[in-house]
Amino acid sequence: MANVLLSKLVRPVLRVTEIVVLWSACHGLVFAQQDAVTHFNKAVEFYRTGKYDDAISEFQASSKLSPTDPLIPNWIGFVLLRQGKNEAAIPLLQQAVTLRSNYTEAWTNLGNAFLGANKVDDAISAFKKTTELDPK
C-alpha cells in the first residue's frame, strides 16, 4: 500500500518526451543566438565597406533574434548618424541606454544625435551622463 501511494506521489523528474522538448528549446535558443551573432558580424562588415543600408538590415535581423542586446540599437543609431539621420537615430540610441544605463558609448552617440537634431539641452544632458559614467 505504501509503495502504491509513494509511486503516485513521486513522479520521475523528467520524462523522455520532456527532455527532448527541453533539449530542442535550448538548442533553438543557441541557434537563434548564433544567428544573431552571424547577422551582427555581417552588419559590421557592411558598415566597414560603406554599405550602410545593408548594415542596418543585418543589424535589424540580429535585433529580432536578440532584442535585449543594447549593442544592436547603438550600432543602428551610429550608422544612422553616419548617414546624417539624426532624428531617426535618437529612439534607437535611447533604447540602447534604456537596455544598459551605463553604456557610455551609447550615451555619447545619443548626445551627438541630439546635437545633430538641434536639441541642444538634450545633447548637454546626454554628454553630462557620459562624463558621469567615464570622467576620464
Side-chain angles (χ1 to χ4, degrees), residues 93 97-98 100-111 114 121-136:
L93 296 166
V97 298
T98 298
R100 185 184 301 158
S101 62
N102 65 344
Y103 192 0
T104 307
E105 184 178 294
W107 280 106
T108 301
N109 289 336
L110 182 58
F114 281 135
D121 290 339
D122 292 329
I124 290 169
S125 294
F127 290 135
K128 280 184 181 178
K129 184 67 175 180
T130 298
T131 57
E132 289 170 13
L133 292 170
D134 188 10
K136 299 175 195 172

Side-chain angles (χ1 to χ4, degrees), residues 67-85:
T68 60
D69 186 341
L71 294 174
I72 300 167
N74 180 62
W75 264 97
I76 296 171
F78 178 72
V79 173
L80 289 168
L81 283 175
R82 299 288 292 186
Q83 293 179 310
K85 299 176 181 178

